[in-house]
Amino acid sequence: MIGFDYGTSNCAVGVMQDKSPQLLSLGEHGRYIASTLYAPSRDVIVNWLHKQLPSAEQAAFQRLRAQQLQKGQGALRELVLDGCPTELSFGQQALDDYLQEPDEGYYIKSPKSFLGATGLLPQQIALFEDIVAAMMSNVKTLTEAQLGRSVSQTVIGRPINFQGLRGDESNRQAIEILTKAAKRVGFKEVEFQFEPVAAGFEYEASLTQETRVLVVDIGGGTTDCSMLLMGPKQASSLDRSADLLSHSGERVGGNDFDIAFALKGMMPSFGLYSLLKSGKPIPANSFWQAMSINNIQNQTDFYSGANTRLLEQLIREGEQPELLTRLLTVQKRRLSYRVVNAAEQSKIALTDTTEQRVDLSDIEQELSINLDRDGFAKACYRELSAITALMTDAVVQAGCEPDVVFVTGGTAKSPVLNAFLRQQFSDTPIVIGDHFGSVTAGLTRWASQIYG
């Protein structure tokens, strides 16, 4: 049995050893593998997955995906004729492969962000099932190699809401995709636990008395808050429904901080806020679409032929055409992920330093941008305010104040976030947990309880 954090930013796996959860090393990736996938062609994902499936699943999958598999075979033949690789890559290797040739192949980051999206067509849902299954298959293989045995039971973390709109329907769709993918790759028993509750379980192990804990889990795609009654007595119970006093969640997380930072911190160097020769401001829509890597429709619109023509027109009519030419380069070379990744890496670097210089010479010779903590705080004010609102909502729902606020998730490392939260909750102790491992550890504890 394992606890499986299939996260928006990273995936991690935990097992119980000597009555304590331990995060496994997943081969060369270490304890955390980035939630990214790269395929030389989108059409070959289904063929790669078919080869990895347990033999008992292959025949049924072949019938279900017959048309896609046939199309993939054609794509594979073309790749072989062109001397291109045919395998998928994951984690950091996926990002490296994408950055090497960003206008080739198929790269996806944080597919979890899309699972609850409204308006997905059946073929899109099938593609996401296959992407998630491929990533889960890779993690399961790495896990079993590390343990030296097969695993068939798992508890997977889930946000309170996958999407802000049409919550129940979006949640049902996302859970169905995750369940099908997990069972397809060989997990026979699959359960889910709310991520903030799981993070709270790990903090609970340190408590010696009953405590009201506001757990704030700032993930890559969502932020979830849960007010939980915790303590040694509660920890031994298999039914924790009475201990969950309230919860709130919204689709705002680390990815949104990265996108906001890229948009407001970097896009001015690509023409955002510049003017047309007429004196009117350059329309901002293309800049937003370019950075919205977690929005399928925005990315489709940005990379459309119509937008190419629009950008070329704006270059002709703009006062600073050299800036807009950079945006056209991003569009033609499909570099949205590259720019947002630069913002993400800068966000991480600004944890330990107040300024960061970003090298973008691969977009334009000698191009670089200076970013700093103050700029990050200004760029992400909306996201910071949304997280505070979620915390306040959870407190109001619970009808009581927390004894302590427990914050976890990768973005919790940011000094900007810490300072902002301490301003809003100045009278309540704030504990910063294991930024990445709390959820995985809590899922592992829960797996041990329900399967043990």
Side-chain angles (χ1 to χ4, degrees), residues 108-150:
I108 186 164
K109 175 183 178 181
S110 309
K112 185 178 176 182
S113 298
F114 303 101
L115 303 187
T118 57
L120 291 181
L121 299 173
Q123 58 266 35
Q124 290 175 307
I125 291 176
L127 174 62
F128 281 123
E129 284 180 8
D130 294 345
I131 289 170
V132 173
M135 294 173 71
M136 285 186 171
S137 175
N138 180 59
V139 171
K140 189 171 187 288
T141 298
L142 293 169
T143 298
E144 292 175 340
Q146 178 69 16
L147 293 175
R149 63 178 186 271
S150 63

Side-chain angles (χ1 to χ4, degrees), residues 165-407:
L165 301 174
R166 298 172 68 183
D168 290 343
E169 183 178 340
S170 293
N171 290 339
R172 178 202 57 76
Q173 175 180 285
I175 291 296
E176 187 173 317
I177 290 172
L178 289 169
T179 303
K180 284 184 177 179
K183 291 194 171 181
R184 187 163 287 154
V185 302
F187 289 109
K188 299 188 183 304
E189 295 183 70
V190 180
E191 296 290 341
F192 292 89
Q193 180 58 269
F194 289 126
E195 288 158 352
V197 175
F201 287 155
E202 184 57 15
Y203 178 63
E204 184 174 48
S206 68
L207 296 177
T208 58
Q209 63 184 19
E210 186 172 282
T211 306
R212 292 188 302 270
V213 183
L214 177 60
V215 181
V216 183
D217 177 26
I218 307 172
T222 59
T223 292
D224 291 312
C225 301
S226 294
M227 182 78 86
L228 292 157
L229 194 61
M230 296 189 150
K233 177 183 175 182
Q234 288 80 7
S236 62
S237 175
L238 286 177
D239 183 3
R240 299 301 298 269
S241 55
D243 301 330
L244 181 58
L245 305 181
S246 68
H247 59 238
S248 61
E250 187 178 329
R251 192 171 179 243
V252 55
N255 284 354
D256 299 282
F257 282 85
D258 302 337
I259 289 168
F261 199 19
L263 180 68
K264 297 173 185 176
M266 299 175 70
M267 283 295 101
S269 296
F270 291 75
L272 181 63
Y273 309 136
S274 65
L275 300 175
L276 296 167
K277 293 174 182 176
S278 65
K280 294 181 179 180
I282 293 287
N285 203 38
S286 288
F287 300 95
W288 173 243
Q289 290 171 345
M291 298 298 96
S292 297
I293 60 171
N294 58 356
N295 186 300
I296 297 171
Q297 190 57 56
N298 281 351
Q299 288 283 280
T300 300
D301 291 343
F302 178 68
Y303 288 114
S304 67
N307 194 48
T308 303
R309 294 187 290 274
L310 172 63
L311 293 178
E312 289 171 343
Q313 178 184 343
L314 292 175
I315 289 170
R316 292 192 297 271
E317 298 176 358
E319 279 193 346
Q320 296 175 283
E322 70 280 3
L323 300 185
L324 293 163
T325 299
R326 296 169 181 169
L327 185 63
L328 183 61
T329 298
V330 171
Q331 199 252 13
K332 287 189 172 181
R333 293 181 55 199
R334 306 185 74 84
L335 292 172
S336 288
Y337 281 106
R338 188 264 181 269
V339 177
V340 175
N341 180 68
E344 178 185 10
Q345 297 308 311
S346 298
K347 175 191 73 176
I348 295 169
L350 290 172
T351 300
D352 300 316
T353 183
T354 57
E355 295 185 2
Q356 175 72 7
R357 189 171 185 84
V358 183
D359 180 9
L360 297 173
S361 56
D362 56 327
I363 295 177
E364 180 183 288
Q365 190 174 4
E366 299 184 1
L367 174 62
S368 64
I369 300 173
N370 286 325
L371 299 173
D372 57 43
R373 270 189 202 170
D374 288 342
F376 177 70
K378 291 175 183 176
C380 301
Y381 183 81
R382 188 194 74 82
E383 288 72 23
L384 292 166
S385 299
I387 290 173
T388 302
L390 288 172
M391 296 170 70
T392 302
D393 183 36
V395 172
V396 171
Q397 285 185 45
C400 60
E401 292 292 325
D403 298 313
V404 63
V405 176
F406 177 68
V407 186

Side-chain angles (χ1 to χ4, degrees), residues 28-179:
E28 63 183 12
H29 305 281
R31 295 194 302 168
Y32 306 101
I33 175 172
S35 300
T36 55
L37 175 150
Y38 178 84
S41 167
R42 187 177 73 174
D43 293 329
V44 306
I45 295 173
V46 64
N47 301 77
W48 183 93
L49 176 60
H50 180 246
K51 290 191 300 182
Q52 309 302 316
L53 293 181
S55 55
E57 295 286 336
Q58 287 186 345
F61 185 73
Q62 187 166 4
R63 290 192 296 270
L64 187 67
R65 296 282 195 270
Q67 186 175 354
Q68 293 95 323
L69 285 165
Q70 185 175 5
K71 186 177 181 181
Q73 285 294 339
L76 283 169
R77 285 193 292 271
E78 289 186 17
L79 289 169
V80 171
L81 288 173
D82 292 339
C84 298
T86 59
E87 293 296 308
L88 308 190
S89 55
F90 304 88
Q92 182 62 43
Q93 187 60 52
L95 177 61
D96 292 345
D97 290 345
Y98 158 71
L99 292 176
Q100 188 172 351
E101 293 185 284
D103 51 350
E104 299 289 339
Y106 178 77
Y107 175 77
I108 186 164
K109 175 183 178 181
S110 309
K112 185 178 176 182
S113 298
F114 303 101
L115 303 187
T118 57
L120 291 181
L121 299 173
Q123 58 266 35
Q124 290 175 307
I125 291 176
L127 174 62
F128 281 123
E129 284 180 8
D130 294 345
I131 289 170
V132 173
M135 294 173 71
M136 285 186 171
S137 175
N138 180 59
V139 171
K140 189 171 187 288
T141 298
L142 293 169
T143 298
E144 292 175 340
Q146 178 69 16
L147 293 175
R149 63 178 186 271
S150 63
V151 292
S152 61
Q153 299 169 313
T154 185
V155 174
I156 300 174
R158 57 153 293 182
I160 290 168
N161 288 308
F162 285 84
Q163 294 276 346
L165 301 174
R166 298 172 68 183
D168 290 343
E169 183 178 340
S170 293
N171 290 339
R172 178 202 57 76
Q173 175 180 285
I175 291 296
E176 187 173 317
I177 290 172
L178 289 169
T179 303

